[in-house]
Amino acid sequence: MAGIQQIVPSKKSAAGAASRRASLLHRMRGQKQLMWMSMPIVAYVILFSYYPIWGWTMAFQNYRPAKSFSEQEWVGFKHFAFLFSDATFLNVLRNTIAMSLINMVLGFVTAIVFAILLNEIKHKLYKRTIQTISYLPHFLSWIIVTGIVANSLSVDGGIVNVLLMKLGWIDGPVMWLSEPSYFWGIVGASHVWKEVGWNAIIYLAAITSIDPAQYEAAEIDGANRYQKMLYVTLPGIKSIVVILLIMNMGWILEAGFEVQYLLGNGVVVDWAQTIDIFVLKYGLQVGNYSLATAAGIFKTVVSISLIFAANTIAKRLGEDRLI
Amino acid sequence: MGGARNKGGRMPLVLALSLGLTGCSDSGSDNMASTDGTKALSISAFINTPNQAPTADNRIYKKIEQELGVKLNMEFIVGDLQQKLGVMIAGGDYPDLITADPKLVSAGAVIPLEELIDQHAPNLKKHFAKVWNKMKDSKDGHIYWLPNYGVISGEYLTTYYSGPAFWIQKDILKEAGYPTPKTLDDYLKLIRDYAKKHPAIDGQPTIGFTTLAYDWRTFPLLNAPEHLTGHPNDGGVVVDNAVASVFADKDMAKRYYKELNGLYNDGLLDKEAFVQNYDQYLAKLSSGRVLGMFDQHWNFQPAEDTLVSQNKIGRTYVGFPLVYDTSIKDYYLERPAPNLNNGFGISKDAKDPVRIIKFLDALMDEKYQKLLSWGEEGVDYMVGKDGKFYRTPEQRKQQEDPAWKLANRADGFFGAVPKMEGTFSDGNATSAGSQPEEFYQSLKPEDKELLDAYGHKTWTDFFSPPPENPVYYPAWQIDLIDGSDAAVANKQMTDASLKYLPKAIMSKTDQFDSVWNEYVNAYKKINVKAYEDRINEQIQWRIKNWSSK
C-alpha cells in the first residue's frame, strides 16, 4: 500500500518536473540576453564570495603560510576553544555587540527622524542645502573623521570642551577619550554625525513615494501636521524600515574597526576593543592566521543566523521580508 | 552605517573587475626588465617608514634612473606595519624589495641572499664581511636581510645623537645656567622650576613632560626604566650576566612611573599623553611648548626639523643620559651593532633577483654612497682644497627644508638600503652630520653657544663612552617567531602595560600603589616565562655561534 502511494505522486512530480524543466529552459532561452548579462555578476560572486570559503579550513589547522595544504597541521576546534575560553574575547564580543546595537539604533532613529523633519521643510533651496551639508561627512574616510573627533574632544582647546565650559555645564575640560564610560557614546555620536544625512536619503525617497492623496484625506479628516507624520508618513515608510533592519541584522557583529582602532587607546581598551581589532592583534600581528579565521567564521555564522531570525520574525508579523 | 556599507558592497562590481585587470597588468610591467642591462628596470620596494613620497622628478632618483637604469617604485607604510605585512602574506603578493621582518621569513616570502651576494655583489660582500655570521638566520643559517645600519667602515665618528635619552629644551638649560642633570630628580627639578616660571609658551599652556604609547611606538613610555638603571637598550628585557628578565612590572619600573604619577598630579604631565597618536605627538612637540620627554631622537626628529625651520632653536632639545642615582653609570650611548632584521630583503616574487642585487651592489660603491648621503658635488656640497667635503651656508639651509628634500634627496630609499657609516676611503665622513668640521659649522649660533658652555664638541659628548658590546647585544632584535607563545605573551605584556600604566600614572597619589598591584597581577596571568625563555635561548645561541667572529 505504502509503496503504491509513494509511486503515484512521484510519477506525477517527475512529469511535472520535466515539464517545469522544459518551461524553465524555454524561459531561459527567451531571456538569453539577461542570462548573459548576469554572468559576470555570478562569476564575481563565486570568485570573491564562495571560492574564499575554502580558506575556512585554516581555522582547523595550525596554519603556517609557507607550507602547502597537505603539510598543514590539523588541530580541530582548538582555535574556537581558545576564543571562547579567553576572557578578552568575551569582553571584545560584548563591546562589539554593544557598539553595533548603539550604532544601529541611533542610526535608525536619527535617520528616520531627520528624514521626516527634512520632509516637512517646504522651502526647496533651504531643504536641499541642509540635506547636502548633512550627507557630506559620509564621504570622509574614518581616519579624517576620527582626526576631527579627536581634535574636537581634546582637552587642549577642543571645541566640545570650550563650548561646554562657555555654557557653564562643566568646570574644567573633560578628558573624553580617556574615560572608558564615554567611549561607546563617542563612537555612536561619531557614526551619527558621519552617516545621518546619507542614511536619511533612502527614507526621503520612500517618503516621496507616498500617495499625496493620503495626506489630503488626512487633512480633510482634520489631522494636524504631527498627526500626519505619525499616521501617514511613518506607516508609509514602514516596509523600507523593516527591510533595512533585516539587512542590518547581518552586520551586528561588525561594529567597525577603524573608529575603535583610531580613537581607542590603552586606557579605554576594555571598552573599545572589537572583534576585528582582536583579530588584528592576536591573529594578523602575531601571525596566527588560524585564530583570525576562526573568529571570522564565528562572525559569519552569527550574522547569517541573525538575518534568518529577523526575516522569520518579519514574516510572522506580516511584514515585507527580504528572503 | 550598516545600510550604507551594504550598498557599497555591491555597487562597485565594475570597479572591482577593472581593478583586478589593472592589477594583472601592473605585475606584468616587471617584464620590461631585461637582463642585458640596457632597458630600464622597474623595482618595486616596500619601505616601513612613513616617509612622504618623493616628487616625481626628484633629482637623485632621476640620476639613479639615468645612470643605473633602475626606476624605483616605492611604497611607504601607512598605518600599522604588522597589519600590512599580515595582509601581504595572506594575499601572497610581494614587491621586489621588501622591508625586513621575521614574519616574512617564516612565510617563505623572501629568498636567501648569500649566493647572490657571493656571485654578483662584491661591494656588499666586502661591506658585510665583518658581520656576515650575525646576519644568518638562527633557524636555517640563510641570510635574508641586508641590515641598513650599524656596519662601520673606516673610522667611526659620532656627532649627532639619534638614540634614547631624556630630552630637555635648550632654553631651559640656558636659563638655568647650563647645569648638567645627572639623575631623574635633577631633570624633573629643572622642568618643574621652568614650568613654574613660564606657565605659557607662545601663548599656549606649557606642557612639562609628555610621552607616547601609540601603535608600535611604545618605547617612549616603556623603555625608560632600563636606561635609568644603567642598562643599555635591550627592549623589553634587561640582561644581566647574559640572563634576560622582564622589568616592566618590577620595582625598577615602578619607581619611574611613580615619578610620572607625581608629575601628573602636579599638572605637569601632558594630560593627553596616552591618548595622542604619533601625529598629535609631533604636532605638540613642534609647537615648542613641551619642556621634555623620554624618547629616541630619530622618533621625534620631524618635530625638531619643524622647530628649526621656524627658527625656534631654543625650543629644540638636548638629550641627557639620566640614571636613578649617581652610583649608576649611564649606558645610553651604544657602539653600533648591525641593525639585524632591518633593511631590505628580496621577495620570491622578484622577477630578476640578480639585477636587483647588482643594483644594490652598485649603490654600495662610494660614488653612489656619496650621492645618496651628501648629494651632488658642487650642488649639495663643496670639496675644499684639502679634499674635505663641506657645505655652504645656503646649502645647509636647503637641507633643513622638508619640501626641498622631497625633490632633491633620496632619504626614504637611502634609509632602507645598506650604507657605509664612518668614513670613506678619502677620509671624509659618510654623512655631513658626522663630518666634524662640517658638523660644527652647521650648528646654529645658539647650539654653538650651548656646546661651548658645556665644553663639548658634539652632542654625543653628553654621554658616557660605551663599553664593548656583549656578543648577544641587542636583545630587542631577537625574533620571537610568529604565532609562538613568546609572541603572544609579548603582545599581552604590551597590552597590559598600555592599559595599566596610564591608569597608574593618572591615579591619585595614594591610589598609585593599588593600581600598580593590579598591573602586577595582570602580568602574573601572562606567560612571561615563554617570552623570557625565548630571549634567553637566543642569547645563548648567539654567544655560541657569534663568539668566534
Side-chain angles (χ1 to χ4, degrees):
Chain A
M1 276 296 275
I4 295 168
Q5 267 181 344
Q6 273 173 352
I7 288 166
V8 177
S10 75
K11 240 185 187 169
K12 232 188 214 165
S13 71
S19 72
R20 264 208 303 278
R21 214 177 297 135
S23 79
L24 182 69
L25 276 176
H26 184 74
R27 264 221 318 270
M28 279 174 81
R29 216 170 293 133
Q31 301 172 348
K32 213 164 47 191
Q33 291 87 347
L34 283 179
M35 294 292 155
W36 281 114
M37 279 162 72
S38 60
M39 282 310 283
I41 298 159
V42 174
Y44 169 80
V45 171
I46 290 176
L47 195 64
F48 289 103
S49 302
Y50 283 91
Y51 175 65
I53 293 181
W54 169 248
W56 278 12
T57 51
M58 271 163 70
F60 307 97
Q61 308 165 337
N62 262 342
Y63 180 77
R64 285 282 155 268
K67 291 184 183 161
S68 73
F69 183 73
S70 56
E71 291 171 316
Q72 301 290 352
E73 179 196 346
W74 292 85
V75 294
F77 286 91
K78 183 187 142 192
H79 296 293
F80 292 93
F82 173 80
L83 277 185
F84 294 109
S85 61
D86 187 37
T88 320
F89 183 75
L90 299 177
N91 175 286
V92 158
L93 192 61
R94 176 202 67 181
N95 294 343
T96 311
I97 294 174
M99 274 187 269
S100 213
L101 279 176
I102 290 175
N103 290 343
M104 209 162 100
V105 172
L106 266 186
F108 263 90
V109 174
T110 53
I112 293 170
V113 169
F114 185 69
I116 293 177
L117 291 181
L118 206 57
N119 187 53
E120 294 298 318
I121 298 174
K122 295 300 172 221
H123 190 287
K124 273 273 163 55
L125 184 70
Y126 186 60
K127 181 180 167 185
R128 256 184 308 182
T129 314
I130 291 207
Q131 208 193 335
T132 309
I133 291 174
S134 70
Y135 74 62
L136 274 183
H138 168 77
F139 297 101
L140 299 176
S141 67
W142 270 114
I143 190 136
I144 296 174
V145 174
T146 50
I148 295 173
V149 170
N151 279 332
S152 324
L153 295 178
S154 165
V155 289
D156 206 38
I159 186 160
V160 174
N161 277 319
V162 171
L163 203 69
L164 290 180
M165 282 199 301
K166 287 255 160 75
L167 288 170
W169 290 5
I170 50 174
D171 298 329
V174 176
M175 299 195 14
W176 298 100
L177 285 174
S178 49
E179 178 54 62
S181 53
Y182 297 152
F183 194 81
W184 291 356
I186 292 171
V187 170
S190 315
H191 266 279
V192 168
W193 180 78
K194 186 171 177 330
E195 303 291 358
V196 68
W198 185 257
N199 289 342
I201 290 177
I202 195 158
Y203 300 114
L204 279 171
I207 291 172
T208 50
S209 70
I210 297 173
D211 188 354
Q214 290 191 29
Y215 287 103
E216 285 162 25
E219 216 160 301
I220 291 166
D221 287 346
N224 65 22
R225 194 166 214 182
Y226 298 102
Q227 283 166 331
K228 273 192 282 179
M229 280 189 220
L230 206 60
Y231 298 115
V232 181
T233 315
L234 262 183
I237 60 173
K238 196 167 132 203
S239 59
I240 292 282
V241 174
V242 171
I243 290 224
L244 283 184
L245 203 58
I246 296 174
M247 282 167 74
N248 280 341
M249 285 311 281
W251 298 103
I252 202 97
L253 288 190
E254 308 268 349
F257 161 74
E258 293 112 315
V259 213
Q260 289 85 353
Y261 189 73
L262 294 167
L263 280 182
N265 54 63
V267 192
V268 296
V269 69
D270 279 346
W271 302 84
Q273 194 154 264
T274 60
I275 295 183
D276 292 326
I277 296 176
F278 179 82
V279 165
L280 169 70
K281 270 196 190 161
Y282 289 96
L284 290 182
Q285 287 186 350
V286 298
N288 197 346
Y289 298 95
S290 300
L291 184 71
T293 316
I297 293 178
F298 168 69
K299 269 171 69 175
T300 309
V301 171
V302 172
S303 301
I304 291 179
S305 329
L306 282 172
I307 289 224
F308 276 102
N311 201 52
T312 316
I313 294 171
K315 193 153 104 188
R316 290 266 166 79
L317 296 176
E319 285 295 338
D320 292 332
R321 42 186 213 275
L322 190 66
I323 311 161
Chain B
M1 282 186 279
R5 206 181 301 137
N6 248 332
K7 275 168 254 143
R10 277 177 222 168
M11 186 181 59
L13 163 66
V14 184
L15 198 70
L17 283 176
S18 60
L19 277 179
L21 293 175
T22 45
C24 296
S25 59
D26 197 35
S27 56
S29 70
D30 284 346
N31 294 336
M32 282 173 21
S34 62
T35 38
D36 60 11
T38 47
K39 280 188 208 154
L41 170 74
S42 174
I43 297 181
S44 54
F46 173 68
I47 294 171
N48 77 346
T49 49
N51 298 59
Q52 276 177 282
T55 59
D57 56 346
N58 178 291
R59 181 155 56 90
I60 304 294
Y61 290 117
K62 215 165 157 188
K63 212 170 152 73
I64 289 176
E65 192 179 340
Q66 280 162 2
E67 293 181 11
L68 295 174
V70 168
K71 187 166 170 42
L72 287 164
N73 183 5
M74 286 174 291
E75 184 191 351
F76 297 102
I77 179 81
V78 178
D80 179 64
L81 175 67
Q82 293 308 317
Q83 179 195 1
K84 172 84 189 169
L85 292 178
V87 170
M88 238 185 229
I89 292 168
D93 194 16
Y94 307 101
D96 300 336
L97 282 176
I98 192 162
T99 195
D101 194 283
K103 187 176 253 157
L104 293 166
V105 177
S106 43
V110 281
I111 58 171
L113 301 175
E114 59 274 10
E115 267 183 39
L116 277 174
I117 296 175
D118 269 336
Q119 287 168 14
H120 305 287
N123 290 332
L124 285 173
K125 178 88 191 166
K126 195 174 127 211
H127 176 69
F128 287 124
K130 268 185 287 185
V131 294
W132 192 252
N133 279 336
K134 294 192 179 186
M135 287 158 61
K136 289 180 182 165
D137 190 282
S138 64
K139 265 177 293 184
D140 57 16
H142 284 305
I143 288 173
Y144 294 102
W145 310 116
L146 302 170
N148 50 350
Y149 285 100
V151 182
I152 305 306
S153 47
E155 186 190 348
Y156 184 60
L157 304 164
T158 56
T159 50
Y160 171 83
Y161 180 66
S162 74
F166 279 86
W167 302 88
I168 191 165
Q169 283 187 346
K170 290 166 185 167
D171 274 357
I172 304 179
L173 297 171
K174 186 173 179 182
E175 195 175 293
Y178 299 113
T180 307
K182 287 225 180 293
T183 64
L184 188 60
D185 296 336
D186 298 346
Y187 173 83
L188 293 178
K189 187 170 184 311
L190 278 175
I191 286 188
R192 281 200 165 92
D193 291 349
Y194 191 85
K196 199 185 267 175
K197 255 194 278 173
H198 304 266
I201 289 173
D202 295 336
Q204 287 178 295
T206 302
I207 296 171
F209 190 85
T210 191
T211 186
L212 178 69
Y214 179 75
D215 201 0
W216 59 274
R217 296 170 201 270
T218 52
F219 49 83
L221 177 65
L222 303 182
N223 279 14
E226 59 186 322
H227 291 290
L228 286 166
T229 49
H231 292 91
N233 180 15
D234 271 313
V237 292
V238 289
V239 186
D240 290 309
N241 303 319
V243 177
S245 56
V246 166
F247 63 85
D249 58 336
K250 305 291 185 305
D251 282 345
M252 61 179 272
K254 186 180 175 182
R255 187 167 165 187
Y256 174 62
Y257 298 116
K258 180 113 189 151
E259 290 288 348
L260 293 190
N261 176 253
L263 268 187
Y264 182 84
N265 284 313
D266 291 349
L268 287 171
L269 186 76
D270 181 8
K271 282 201 176 65
E272 290 183 310
F274 310 108
V275 178
Q276 64 191 345
N277 62 33
Y278 183 55
D279 290 336
Q280 290 170 315
Y281 174 72
L282 289 184
K284 207 173 279 170
L285 295 189
S286 308
S287 72
R289 63 205 175 95
V290 178
L291 303 185
M293 64 277 163
F294 173 84
D295 198 356
Q296 307 217 13
H297 204 171
W298 55 265
N299 194 41
F300 69 92
Q301 185 66 51
E304 219 173 51
D305 288 346
T306 316
L307 284 168
V308 171
S309 67
Q310 298 171 61
N311 208 24
K312 291 184 181 169
I313 311 299
R315 297 292 169 203
T316 57
Y317 298 87
V318 182
F320 285 95
L322 301 183
V323 286
Y324 276 138
D325 54 70
T326 44
S327 66
I328 301 168
K329 190 170 179 318
D330 68 278
Y331 193 164
Y332 283 68
L333 187 62
E334 55 180 17
R335 294 202 188 196
N339 207 4
L340 303 176
N341 289 329
N342 273 284
F344 269 143
I346 298 179
S347 81
K348 67 177 172 60
D349 288 356
K351 293 273 181 323
D352 197 347
V354 173
R355 269 207 70 187
I356 294 173
I357 203 84
K358 278 184 175 167
F359 166 64
L360 293 177
D361 191 60
L363 291 183
M364 273 315 293
D365 189 280
E366 282 199 6
K367 178 181 162 196
Y368 289 102
Q369 287 292 307
K370 283 174 189 167
L371 178 72
L372 287 166
S373 169
W374 281 85
E376 287 180 278
E377 185 181 335
V379 183
D380 298 306
Y381 68 94
M382 308 309 227
V383 184
K385 285 200 189 83
D386 53 354
K388 288 279 178 208
F389 296 174
Y390 68 96
R391 281 186 175 138
T392 63
E394 296 79 45
Q395 287 167 343
R396 280 180 207 126
K397 190 97 196 130
Q398 281 178 336
Q399 301 287 337
E400 289 164 7
D401 179 2
W404 181 88
K405 281 165 107 174
L406 286 181
N408 294 284
R409 298 292 313 256
D411 290 349
F413 185 68
F414 188 49
V417 289
K419 61 183 73 61
M420 292 174 119
E421 285 171 272
T423 50
F424 292 123
S425 52
D426 59 12
N428 281 298
T430 50
S431 70
S434 54
Q435 180 95 315
E437 304 81 27
E438 172 58 27
F439 167 76
Y440 193 76
Q441 288 306 318
S442 72
L443 287 174
K444 303 283 170 193
E446 294 89 337
D447 289 345
K448 283 182 189 161
E449 185 191 329
L450 187 141
L451 282 177
D452 289 346
Y454 282 101
H456 289 329
K457 290 263 177 298
T458 70
W459 300 118
T460 46
D461 290 347
F462 287 97
F463 298 80
S464 294
E468 195 68 56
N469 284 334
V471 64
Y472 50 79
Y473 183 78
W476 62 262
Q477 288 177 341
I478 287 170
D479 170 18
L480 296 175
I481 303 181
D482 267 357
S484 69
D485 289 348
V488 173
N490 185 33
K491 195 93 208 151
Q492 289 172 326
M493 280 154 50
T494 312
D495 277 0
S497 295
L498 294 189
K499 180 172 155 187
Y500 288 101
L501 288 179
K503 225 189 238 177
I505 293 168
M506 296 195 294
S507 63
K508 300 250 160 40
T509 314
D510 53 343
Q511 282 162 4
F512 179 85
D513 282 329
S514 71
V515 181
W516 183 265
N517 289 337
E518 274 179 54
Y519 172 53
V520 174
N521 285 331
Y523 242 74
K524 279 185 188 143
K525 294 195 188 109
I526 303 168
N527 191 1
V528 178
K529 193 167 177 305
Y531 175 78
E532 286 177 337
D533 285 351
R534 169 68 189 165
I535 304 254
N536 280 316
E537 175 215 320
Q538 281 298 297
I539 286 179
Q540 291 310 318
W541 183 89
R542 285 179 175 189
I543 290 174
K544 200 168 135 241
N545 290 280
W546 289 359
S547 288
S548 54
K549 183 74 200 170

